[in-house]
Amino acid sequence: MLASIHDVSPRSHAQVDRLAHLLERHTGTGRFAMLVIPDHWREAPIEGNAAFGTQLRAWADAGIEMFLHGWCHRDETPATQGFAGFKGKHMTAGEGEFLNLPHDEALARMARGKALLEDVLGRPVAGFIAPAWLYGEGAHAALRELGMPLAEDHMKVWRPASGEVLSRGPVVTWASRSKGRIASSLAFARLARTALPLALPTLRLAVHPGDTTVPALMDSIDQTLARFVRSHRPARYADLARSARGPG
């Protein structure tokens, strides 16, 4: 079982800390990932924030995997037509940063974020996961050029360099921004607790700072973690990569 906390930044520090304690109760120390935004909506830069940098290093030292999660998490090049426009409108609240970025800009943001985060952490990032799990062609090319070890979207985890898919299956996540999305995510989590452990060798679960504002979502996350760890061992993304590589 792979668990992750999205949207980690100085603006979400308290909520991330609460989610980390919840995950640790089920997975143990350090057996989950954090997805870090270098400058959340260009309002919460990590650069120059010594206190938050110290906290990120402490989390990483405890074994938590650190993924780069875009640069600002805001879609500054929104599409208005076609399938890209549909995804940008209906799959995220204006946060699909890498869905429509041209290649050069995607590469620049990804490279800058990688360098910044690795400087703060003192170690390589575990990989890159695009905001809202949405990638355009420019983002896919940038992933390959930078040699990012791992990436994931809604339905899979893969190695960008080779395209090798390491795991398939939907990620279980929750949405807090409307009553309708709260209800639908609670319903999907109930279904997932019953069906997915029987169907998938690898389960993925992702939580967001906004989840902490809705008690029903926190209860659902707690119940889903409790069910998943009964059948699937909490692990790191690096464990998945090693097991796919095989002995030696």
Side-chain angles (χ1 to χ4, degrees):
M1 185 195 75
L2 304 175
S4 60
I5 302 174
H6 285 225
D7 302 352
V8 176
S9 81
R11 72 187 292 180
S12 62
H13 190 167
Q15 295 94 330
V16 169
D17 199 47
R18 183 178 173 190
L19 290 168
H21 286 299
L22 173 60
L23 293 185
E24 283 178 348
R25 290 207 307 269
H26 294 280
T27 68
T29 302
R31 290 192 173 274
F32 54 93
M34 289 186 176
L35 279 55
V36 184
I37 308 170
D39 188 3
H40 199 173
W41 278 66
R42 301 193 185 276
E43 298 171 350
I46 291 173
E47 188 172 21
N49 190 327
F52 191 71
T54 298
Q55 178 62 81
L56 284 176
R57 285 192 298 275
W59 279 326
D61 289 343
I64 296 171
E65 290 177 301
M66 294 289 171
F67 283 82
L68 178 62
H69 192 41
W71 176 262
C72 67
H73 208 282
R74 181 171 62 188
D75 186 356
E76 298 172 327
T77 55
T80 58
Q81 297 179 340
F83 188 48
F86 174 84
K87 289 196 292 184
K89 180 178 180 180
H90 294 285
M91 296 179 67
T92 178
E95 296 193 317
E97 179 186 3
F98 277 74
L99 178 59
N100 302 299
L101 281 181
H103 166 259
D104 289 351
E105 181 63 19
L107 182 63
R109 293 191 191 192
M110 207 178 289
R112 183 183 176 192
K114 180 176 182 291
L116 171 64
L117 191 52
E118 290 181 343
D119 182 61
V120 169
L121 297 173
R123 70 193 75 203
V125 296
F128 178 88
I129 298 174
W133 292 286
L134 294 175
Y135 302 77
E137 292 182 6
H140 281 293
L143 282 171
R144 294 190 295 270
E145 289 179 47
L146 285 176
M148 285 290 185
L150 295 173
E152 78 166 16
D153 60 21
H154 280 98
M155 294 301 297
K156 65 183 181 299
V157 181
W158 78 95
R159 299 186 204 271
S162 65
E164 178 190 5
V165 176
L166 305 179
S167 175
R168 293 189 186 275
V171 60
V172 181
T173 191
W174 291 260
S176 61
R177 67 178 182 265
S178 71
K179 290 183 179 179
R181 289 182 181 274
I182 290 170
S184 63
S185 58
L186 290 173
F188 180 71
R190 283 194 296 271
L191 175 63
R193 290 195 292 271
T194 300
L196 294 188
L198 302 176
L200 297 175
T202 301
L203 301 175
R204 289 184 295 146
L205 178 152
V207 297
H208 294 77
D211 298 338
T212 64
T213 66
V214 183
L217 294 183
M218 293 295 282
D219 289 343
S220 178
I221 293 166
D222 192 40
Q223 293 166 22
T224 305
L225 282 163
R227 172 60 188 91
F228 281 4
V229 299
R230 292 210 314 264
S231 58
H232 289 63
R233 177 178 60 86
R236 300 179 178 90
Y237 284 79
D239 299 327
L240 176 66
R242 281 192 293 270
S243 65
R245 189 179 299 121

